[in-house]
Amino acid sequence: MWETSARLLRLLSLLQTRRDWSGAELAERLDVSPRTVRRDVDRLRGLGYPVLATAGTAGYRLGAGADLPPLLLDDDEAVAVAMGLRTAAGGSITGIEETSVRALAKLEQVLPSRLRHRINALHSVTVPMANTGPTVDPSTLTAIAAACRDSLCLRFDYRTHDGTSSIRTTEPHRLVHAGRRWYLVGWDVDRRDWRTYRVDRLDPRTPTGPRFTPRTPPAPDLGGYTSRAVSTSAYRYQARITLHVSAETAAERIAPTTGTLEPIDEHSCTLRAGSNSLDELAIYVATKGFDFQVHEPPELVEHVRTLAARLAGAAEQVSGADSRGTEAGSGSR
């Protein structure tokens, strides 16, 4: 059995990882009796941690107190938090630059030297690019994250890409971060289907609620699902193209917000992308620098053939003009 102090730290760490724990679950994790869990919970309360009893489940929840209690972070979590704070000023969340600096100063003051060296090494070789994309208010992100965590319905005003506004009601599932954009994946209550929303285009309404029973997510890989939703599914033309390079190589030039990649073998992959313009799709894939073959849609296949013939004809005209110019030049000597 662990020493009491070490066990208390472990109990506190568990309470911070998810919203609700039953007494039996905590006892199993800590390898102690439920009675010992109750005593340890009382000790945490005596130290100022607001551990609340969960009605009806004989469980516990770490609540919000008058003051922020100390958080327990392992080494990797501490490095991740420090790097996140250091890059927040140039990130995609507005209004947290100064507070990020204050929080970073507090964190680095108590970091062990081994972690400080890791963070400094990472920071010294990291060069941030200026953020020119849309930004998100941090309060919007935290409101959405809390609704996802607690399974509370979320209503918000939403602006589509053409500026049309509407009120949406969702069962929020997860936030997905793609480069400089944030997306919410949730079940649209009115449309009775899964939807993906740009977070910079929504304004949450309060209060949230009621609570809902979480649904099975639309795909095991929510990152891939979000990529398909924003790069392909929303458009009139949805292309399927074979690229004659590996998926890893293609990913260096194709962002997940503009297309999804599926490996075929070590030397080829499938690109799925969408657009409302056949010209845009053809130019997009042609300028990536890879050999490719278009399969779908039929309109794009025909459009690429027409465009290829037009470009070949233009090259032949240029070649013929050059030849005539060379012959004329030879005759005048």
Side-chain angles (χ1 to χ4, degrees):
M1 185 179 295
W2 295 353
E3 294 293 334
T4 301
S5 58
R7 193 175 64 245
L8 285 178
L9 290 173
R10 174 61 176 159
L11 174 58
L12 181 59
S13 179
L14 289 172
L15 289 171
Q16 290 175 347
T17 58
R18 79 183 201 208
R19 182 173 175 82
D20 295 299
W21 287 89
S22 70
E25 289 175 321
L26 291 172
E28 182 181 357
R29 289 292 191 98
L30 298 171
D31 194 22
V32 297
S33 67
R35 182 181 178 184
T36 299
V37 170
R38 290 194 295 271
R39 283 202 297 252
D40 287 347
V41 166
D42 288 338
R43 291 188 180 100
L44 288 178
R45 289 168 176 161
L47 293 172
Y49 292 94
V51 183
L52 309 178
T54 306
T57 61
Y60 302 97
R61 173 188 304 169
L62 188 61
D67 299 306
L68 178 68
L71 299 175
L72 294 177
L73 301 173
D74 62 27
D75 285 3
D76 290 339
E77 290 171 339
V79 171
V81 170
M83 288 302 295
L85 290 170
R86 284 192 175 193
T87 57
S92 57
I93 307 176
T94 57
I96 63 171
E97 296 86 351
E98 192 267 338
T99 51
S100 297
V101 172
R102 293 204 319 265
L104 180 61
K106 291 180 180 179
L107 177 60
E108 292 193 336
Q109 182 179 359
V110 297
L111 281 176
S113 59
R114 68 179 187 281
L115 297 185
R116 193 176 296 112
H117 291 324
R118 283 177 60 184
I119 293 166
N120 288 337
L122 280 170
H123 186 69
S124 66
V125 297
T126 302
V127 179
M129 294 181 65
N131 180 29
T132 58
T135 58
V136 177
D137 188 284
S139 62
T140 298
L141 282 177
T142 54
I144 296 173
C148 292
R149 179 197 63 196
D150 300 337
S151 299
L152 295 174
C153 285
L154 184 68
R155 298 179 71 240
F156 52 84
D157 297 285
Y158 192 68
R159 302 175 300 279
T160 60
H161 67 281
D162 61 2
T164 304
S165 296
S166 61
I167 299 174
R168 305 291 181 92
T169 302
T170 64
E171 296 175 0
H173 182 68
R174 288 291 185 274
L175 281 166
V176 178
H177 188 218
R180 294 172 179 169
R181 290 182 180 174
W182 290 86
Y183 296 91
L184 167 64
V185 177
W187 176 266
D188 192 300
V189 174
D190 298 321
R191 292 160 179 78
R192 303 191 61 79
D193 196 7
W194 289 96
R195 289 289 191 272
T196 303
Y197 308 94
R198 283 255 304 260
V199 175
D200 59 288
R201 291 178 179 167
L202 67 82
D203 297 304
R205 293 191 170 202
T206 56
T208 54
R211 189 180 294 274
F212 63 88
T213 301
R215 301 173 185 269
T216 302
D221 176 17
L222 280 180
Y225 171 84
T226 305
S227 176
R228 290 189 295 274
V230 302
S231 68
T232 307
S233 303
Y235 295 98
R236 176 183 176 184
Y237 301 110
Q238 300 175 16
R240 180 172 66 88
I241 302 167
T242 295
L243 302 181
H244 296 292
V245 291
S246 67
E248 292 77 10
T249 300
E252 296 174 1
R253 300 189 184 182
I254 298 173
T257 53
T258 60
T260 59
L261 297 167
E262 303 166 5
I264 297 175
D265 53 38
E266 295 181 356
H267 307 290
S268 62
C269 62
T270 297
L271 166 67
R272 298 183 185 273
S275 176
N276 292 326
S277 165
L278 293 175
D279 278 325
E280 187 175 77
L281 277 172
I283 293 171
Y284 173 78
V285 67
T287 56
K288 294 303 175 183
F290 308 132
D291 291 337
F292 65 94
Q293 181 179 3
V294 179
H295 304 287
E296 297 174 353
E299 301 96 318
L300 181 60
V301 175
E302 186 60 33
H303 193 74
V304 168
R305 288 197 185 104
T306 301
L307 185 60
R310 187 178 301 134
L311 292 173
E316 289 175 0
Q317 292 175 15
V318 171
S319 177
D322 289 344
S323 298
R324 288 192 297 273
T326 302
E327 292 172 359
S330 300
S332 62
R333 287 176 183 172

